[in-house]
Amino acid sequence: MKLSNFGFNLPEELLAEYPAENRDESRLMVLNRKEQTIEHKMFKDLIDYFDEEDVLILNNTKVFPARLYGNKEKTGARIEVFLLRELNEEQRLWDVLVDPARKIRIGNKLYFGDDDTLVAEVIDNTTSRGRTLRFLYDGSYTEFRRKLNELGETPLPKYIKRDVEPDDEDRYQTIYAKNEGAVAAPTAGLHFSKHLLKRLEIKGVDFAEVTLHVGLGTFNPVEVEDLSKHKMDSEELKIDEKAVHIVNKGIENKRRVCAVGTTAMRAIESSVSSNGKLNEIDGWTNKFIFPPYDFSIANCMITNFHTPKSTLLMMVSAFAGHDFIKKAYEEAVKEKYKFYSYGDAMLII
């Protein structure tokens, strides 16, 4: 499989600028791999496809307000700073992206907030847009993190052209988000309402929670035609004993084991034992899944509609079959499904 196999034309009006009014009322395309059929449903109809002791694997990462705006010393130029990951808690060192990058050099200072109480010094260049910042703040670490949260805004994807609105803070977060650390939401989970989760629970569906802190690497463009040469950025991953027990019981009982989103799928496929069971892990993963690929854990997947030539589309193609996904996406465009973070969803069984 080559990069060029994953291109398609996506009309701009199909990019979802806003989410569905109610979480579980986005549309749902259901792909049956065995029958090669496509059905059109609502997301809340998901309950019809799951029975007692089936398993849903949820990524419980929580998005933090990673986008800050500061002013450069002397010139006062407005600079966007996107927090990627904390490198050192004690020294308050962070990996960030800056925009415009050409103006930001080692030694520059950036000032944040109306009162300039938060200052950052550029101490290293990491990539063309990447920098390492040391934050200077008179206060405890807890107060510093509170200040970051206060000054930061919800990091909506760049393709959403509108400004961030108050509703985004809640809506660009799954209802089961717990462990802060992601710079982007695991978007397949955005479709679950409390009501739908409760109905699934009453039906006897089991939930296994894993944590994969989504980084921007997920969205980095693939720039090589030969996919085997693409390198994914590492993302922090944690799967505990409780999740392992629930998932492996589902596998042993031959139940439907469903990864909610590409991040949940990458998490579980990053920690597989030699006998095809899930293992505990507390570490990092840079796993890149593209066709052909044999999946070990999940036999079902919920996902959104993804960008052309993205690593997310490649994973979904590996799971459902490239030709079947191509057909499904053509149908999605024809039926005017909404794409990307706030878009509609797909269930692959």
Side-chain angles (χ1 to χ4, degrees), residues 3 6 216-223 227 230-233 235 262 266 287-291 301 306-318:
L3 176 63
F6 296 92
L216 280 189
T218 298
F219 309 100
N220 278 351
V222 180
E223 292 172 338
L227 299 183
H230 177 69
K231 296 284 182 284
M232 291 283 281
D233 283 5
E235 294 174 323
T262 55
R266 188 155 73 257
K287 192 168 189 68
F288 174 34
I289 297 172
F290 60 95
M301 183 180 191
H306 304 295
T307 3
K309 297 185 177 179
S310 64
T311 59
L312 311 176
L313 177 57
M314 290 163 193
M315 180 196 287
V316 173
S317 291

Side-chain angles (χ1 to χ4, degrees), residues 168-206:
D168 290 314
E169 188 177 340
D170 170 63
R171 202 53 186 79
Y172 193 62
Q173 200 82 266
T174 64
I175 57 167
Y176 46 78
K178 283 180 192 161
N179 298 324
E180 194 171 87
V183 300
T187 56
L190 295 179
H191 303 285
F192 284 91
S193 64
K194 285 180 180 166
H195 180 61
L196 179 57
L197 279 181
K198 193 71 192 166
R199 288 175 66 210
L200 286 160
E201 188 187 322
I202 289 165
K203 200 169 182 181
V205 174
D206 292 324

Side-chain angles (χ1 to χ4, degrees), residues 41-305:
K41 301 282 185 175
M42 298 295 284
F43 195 82
K44 58 189 175 187
D45 297 328
L46 191 76
I47 193 157
D48 299 334
Y49 296 87
F50 291 90
D51 292 313
E52 194 173 349
E53 293 187 355
D54 286 345
V55 178
L56 282 174
I57 303 167
L58 311 173
N59 181 7
N60 65 14
T61 187
K62 190 172 187 180
V63 182
F64 68 96
R67 189 171 275 133
L68 303 171
Y69 292 95
N71 296 100
K72 191 180 168 190
E73 64 177 335
K74 295 179 184 161
T75 66
R78 180 176 154 95
I79 306 294
E80 179 188 307
V81 173
F82 196 102
L83 302 172
L84 289 179
R85 64 174 67 102
E86 187 173 43
L87 299 174
N88 185 304
E89 184 177 308
E90 204 175 309
Q91 296 182 40
R92 298 179 188 174
L93 295 183
W94 281 76
D95 250 347
V96 305
L97 295 178
V98 292
D99 191 21
R102 67 184 184 281
K103 297 184 175 181
I104 303 302
R105 297 187 174 89
I106 293 172
N108 286 161
K109 283 199 171 77
L110 300 170
Y111 293 83
F112 301 91
D114 296 335
D115 53 4
D116 294 344
T117 49
L118 183 64
V119 182
E121 183 180 4
V122 182
I123 63 167
D124 198 9
N125 294 332
T126 50
T127 62
S128 59
R129 286 182 58 214
R131 302 289 184 270
T132 302
L133 296 188
R134 177 188 285 118
F135 283 97
L136 312 168
Y137 182 73
D138 292 331
S140 67
Y141 179 74
T142 307
E143 289 166 332
F144 163 65
R145 287 305 297 247
R146 196 179 299 130
K147 192 71 178 173
L148 281 186
N149 279 356
E150 180 192 309
L151 293 172
E153 69 175 33
T154 304
L156 288 185
K158 282 285 192 187
Y159 68 80
I160 294 181
K161 302 298 182 205
R162 62 176 174 80
D163 289 339
V164 174
E165 296 172 13
D167 283 356
D168 290 314
E169 188 177 340
D170 170 63
R171 202 53 186 79
Y172 193 62
Q173 200 82 266
T174 64
I175 57 167
Y176 46 78
K178 283 180 192 161
N179 298 324
E180 194 171 87
V183 300
T187 56
L190 295 179
H191 303 285
F192 284 91
S193 64
K194 285 180 180 166
H195 180 61
L196 179 57
L197 279 181
K198 193 71 192 166
R199 288 175 66 210
L200 286 160
E201 188 187 322
I202 289 165
K203 200 169 182 181
V205 174
D206 292 324
F207 302 103
E209 293 188 19
V210 301
T211 304
L212 182 93
H213 290 316
V214 190
L216 280 189
T218 298
F219 309 100
N220 278 351
V222 180
E223 292 172 338
V224 286
E225 181 66 8
D226 179 353
L227 299 183
S228 65
K229 291 186 166 53
H230 177 69
K231 296 284 182 284
M232 291 283 281
D233 283 5
S234 289
E235 294 174 323
E236 200 173 349
L237 166 63
K238 188 165 192 154
I239 301 174
D240 63 18
E241 186 185 358
K242 185 181 176 188
V244 164
H245 173 72
I246 293 167
V247 170
N248 288 341
K249 190 175 121 199
I251 294 170
E252 284 157 18
N253 294 337
K254 297 188 166 41
R255 305 306 308 173
R256 187 160 275 173
V257 177
C258 189
V260 177
T262 55
T263 63
M265 184 68 89
R266 188 155 73 257
I268 58 179
E269 285 295 319
S270 297
S271 192
V272 180
S273 67
S274 55
N275 63 349
K277 297 287 178 61
L278 188 61
N279 281 337
E280 289 178 58
I281 186 173
D282 187 351
W284 296 75
T285 179
N286 63 351
K287 192 168 189 68
F288 174 34
I289 297 172
F290 60 95
Y293 181 86
D294 290 327
F295 290 82
S296 300
I297 306 292
N299 53 23
C300 167
M301 183 180 191
I302 297 167
T303 187
N304 279 33
F305 290 91

